[in-house]
Amino acid sequence: MKNNIKVILFLLTAMIVITSCGNGTPSTGDNSSADTTDTTTTEEPIDKSVPFSLNIEQTATIFGPKTATANVSPSYGTIVLLEHSADNNGVLLATMNAGNSFVGRKDGYCYKVLRSKDNGESWSYCGYASDDFNTDIGATYCISTPHLFELPEDMGAFKAGTVLLAGVSKDAVKTSELNITAITLFYSEDAGKSWTAFATLDVAGGEKEGVWEPFLFYDEGKLFCFYSDDSDPEHDQKIVYKWTSDLKNWNGVDGAQDCTVRPTKSTKFGDPFDAVACRNEKFRPGMASVAKMKNGEFILCFEMVGIKGSPVHCKTTGSLLEWEDVSSYGEKVIEFGNSPGAAPWIAYSPRGGECGVLFLAAHHNANGNAKHTPGSTDLFLSFDYGKTWTRTANPIPHTVVEGTTASDREYYRGYSPALVVSSDGKTLYYANMVEYPENKNLTQLSFARISIEGYYQNSEK
């Protein structure tokens, strides 16, 4: 449904201070035993005489309950824009968690994929991804934290434009009954219509010993998969990664392993590399996402469960293969005492200023030490490679319900929003879980297409 009124969110320099870009440095030091605090910079601000703006061009509903009494409430939405798929360039795909509401398997536990051919105005069923690869270990329930990704270049036997789906396959529906979790990869060569499970990157235990929340990122011939790992007895949870250059052999601490071999209960998976492994073993960094900035650095964004409000933190590096201090959990995202909390997603556009702009969406705003700031779900933006942040109104607002937990459906409003920036940096595609209008206890996955406009110093217009 197109907006009748063009909504523009202005960020004027009279209202915010934007510091000089600088080169940025990886976060270092031991900050594993205490919460981080806001940091300041003494660098001179850049004169931004032209306002930066976000123009909401289109909103729509991707997926939601068919009726107010439906037993479905989606969460963990993910979207991808196809830009390397020839005739399918411009197509948008989406999927999410939604229990057993999907077609495909008899029990319905698979990833339903939806598609838009009109730049997000309308969405329809496209296909489904079902796990028949992990049958020998019994982990075939596809109901957890999917991530969609398009290959920008040929890799191994796969052509540019192949769509990948990384998700968690389980051996049980109820979390309390889990014994096995597996990071599983699927591929589609027909723009999301048909899917094949073809690789398992890691296998671990159940609720408190599992692997979760995969995120795929490509850079210079290497595909990285970041994910959350509960299986290390020295850490409640940590953020880890493996990488590949052929989508077959995945590299970890113990070298490369062919992950396209169907796993059995006797298969041993090599240890992944650590990215964030706090010295305080009770901290649980998770829900990782990554963006590359035009200064050549990468920024890793994640939640810090174990600190009040699960505030979002970021750390930077010049190479995804090198993290100077994995015990460091970087810097807390903060603006005048407000921090985004839980289930974050980060994306970057080179437009919007000398340093470009980082977009960060999360589940809630944590004000001070409060767990939630009810009703406050702003986007956080940075114009200096993540050194400082400012807030703006959420293009797809959701209502945070104070006191809810993961066992409550209302909790998943705004949980794991998805952000994708077009390769030209001009458009932000955003998906977010919001309350279903006819039953506030349910959720639906909503979509917005947003043009990025503003200041273009030393960047391509």
Side-chain angles (χ1 to χ4, degrees):
M1 178 178 64
K2 291 186 177 179
N3 292 344
N4 294 324
I5 300 176
K6 179 182 284 189
V7 180
I8 299 179
L9 309 172
F10 285 106
L11 299 173
L12 298 174
T13 54
M15 301 169 62
I16 61 174
V17 175
I18 303 173
T19 62
S20 174
C21 293
N23 294 321
T25 56
S27 299
T28 59
D30 179 10
N31 54 6
S32 299
S33 60
D35 194 357
T36 55
T37 57
D38 188 18
T39 58
T40 59
T41 176
T42 59
E43 297 178 81
E44 292 298 321
I46 297 173
D47 179 18
K48 306 269 194 209
S49 57
V50 180
F52 171 84
S53 65
L54 300 177
N55 173 25
I56 303 174
E57 297 180 329
Q58 180 71 55
T59 60
T61 297
I62 297 176
F63 176 82
K66 292 183 178 180
T67 66
T69 58
N71 187 29
V72 59
S73 196
S75 61
Y76 291 103
T78 175
I79 55 175
V80 65
L81 170 69
L82 303 189
E83 298 184 283
H84 309 280
S85 301
D87 294 342
N88 290 303
N89 284 349
V91 168
L92 288 158
L93 300 177
T95 192
M96 71 224 77
N97 290 7
N100 64 344
S101 64
F102 297 160
V103 298
R105 288 174 48 134
K106 291 182 180 179
D107 55 21
Y109 289 102
C110 52
Y111 296 117
K112 180 177 181 179
V113 179
L114 297 104
R115 176 176 58 192
S116 174
K117 294 183 176 182
D118 53 14
N119 217 9
E121 184 172 351
S122 61
W123 295 81
S124 60
Y125 170 75
C126 177
Y128 68 91
S130 181
D131 189 349
D132 57 3
F133 190 76
N134 290 302
T135 52
D136 290 348
I137 61 174
T140 60
Y141 292 96
C142 304
I143 51 175
S144 183
T145 57
H147 181 220
L148 288 167
F149 181 82
E150 184 194 29
L151 279 181
E153 298 177 341
D154 294 351
M155 177 173 283
F158 297 89
K159 299 296 184 183
T162 300
V163 186
L164 301 177
L165 191 162
V168 177
S169 299
K170 305 178 180 181
D171 68 338
V173 175
K174 294 183 179 180
T175 302
S176 60
E177 298 175 358
L178 282 179
N179 293 299
I180 297 174
T181 51
I183 303 292
T184 308
L185 285 185
F186 306 79
Y187 73 87
S188 173
E189 297 177 318
D190 55 9
K193 294 179 182 179
S194 59
W195 294 85
T196 302
F198 75 101
T200 301
L201 305 192
D202 206 349
V203 173
E207 179 180 6
K208 297 182 179 180
E209 300 175 343
V211 284
W212 316 94
E213 304 155 359
F215 183 90
L216 299 173
F217 190 84
Y218 179 89
D219 184 62
E220 296 184 352
K222 295 181 178 66
L223 182 69
F224 294 80
C225 183
F226 289 83
Y227 56 100
S228 302
D229 184 1
D230 291 348
S231 66
D232 186 343
E234 296 184 1
H235 301 276
D236 199 337
Q237 182 168 283
K238 59 183 182 178
I239 296 173
V240 300
Y241 67 96
K242 292 183 177 181
W243 66 269
T244 182
S245 57
D246 60 8
L247 277 173
K248 178 180 180 180
N249 300 291
W250 286 80
N251 295 273
V253 172
D254 304 312
Q257 180 175 11
D258 185 353
C259 291
T260 62
V261 176
R262 191 181 298 269
T264 67
K265 292 185 178 180
S266 63
T267 301
K268 302 296 183 182
F269 285 86
D271 290 336
F273 297 105
D274 290 344
V276 187
C278 303
R279 289 192 176 95
N280 187 328
E281 63 181 22
K282 295 182 180 181
F283 285 177
R284 293 176 55 84
M287 300 293 290
S289 58
V290 179
K292 185 175 184 179
M293 303 174 289
K294 66 181 178 181
N295 65 349
E297 293 202 327
F298 303 87
I299 186 165
L300 174 67
C301 169
F302 49 95
E303 66 184 12
M304 275 300 300
V305 177
I307 298 176
K308 290 182 179 180
S310 302
V312 175
H313 285 64
C314 293
K315 59 191 297 186
T316 59
T317 181
S319 169
L320 293 178
L321 297 172
E322 299 177 4
W323 298 90
E324 288 194 356
D325 182 2
V326 298
S327 69
S328 169
Y329 50 86
E331 302 294 335
K332 181 165 67 174
V333 175
I334 190 166
E335 187 252 9
F336 294 111
N338 291 281
S339 293
W345 198 294
I346 199 165
Y348 175 79
S349 170
R351 300 167 71 85
E354 181 181 350
C355 311
V357 57
L358 286 164
F359 301 92
L360 195 156
H363 176 253
H364 61 262
N365 286 4
N367 189 340
N369 289 325
K371 183 175 181 181
H372 296 163
T373 303
S376 182
T377 58
D378 300 326
L379 290 187
F380 283 70
L381 310 179
S382 176
F383 297 89
D384 55 9
Y385 298 136
K387 292 181 180 180
T388 61
W389 296 84
T390 189
R391 290 182 294 158
T392 191
N394 196 322
I396 312 177
H398 60 275
T399 302
V400 174
V401 181
E402 184 71 21
T404 54
T405 67
S407 61
D408 301 309
R409 287 182 171 181
E410 299 94 330
Y411 179 80
Y412 291 97
R413 298 173 186 173
Y415 206 78
S416 189
L419 300 168
V420 173
V421 175
S422 60
S423 59
D424 62 9
K426 296 180 180 180
T427 306
L428 175 68
Y429 299 91
Y430 178 34
N432 193 19
M433 295 293 171
V434 300
E435 50 266 39
Y436 179 55
E438 297 180 24
N439 184 343
K440 300 295 185 181
N441 292 325
L442 303 180
T443 58
Q444 66 181 28
L445 181 60
S446 294
F447 167 85
R449 185 183 74 246
I450 304 161
S451 66
I452 301 169
E453 303 169 357
Y455 181 82
Y456 306 115
Q457 179 175 321
N458 298 328
S459 63
E460 182 179 351
K461 295 186 177 182

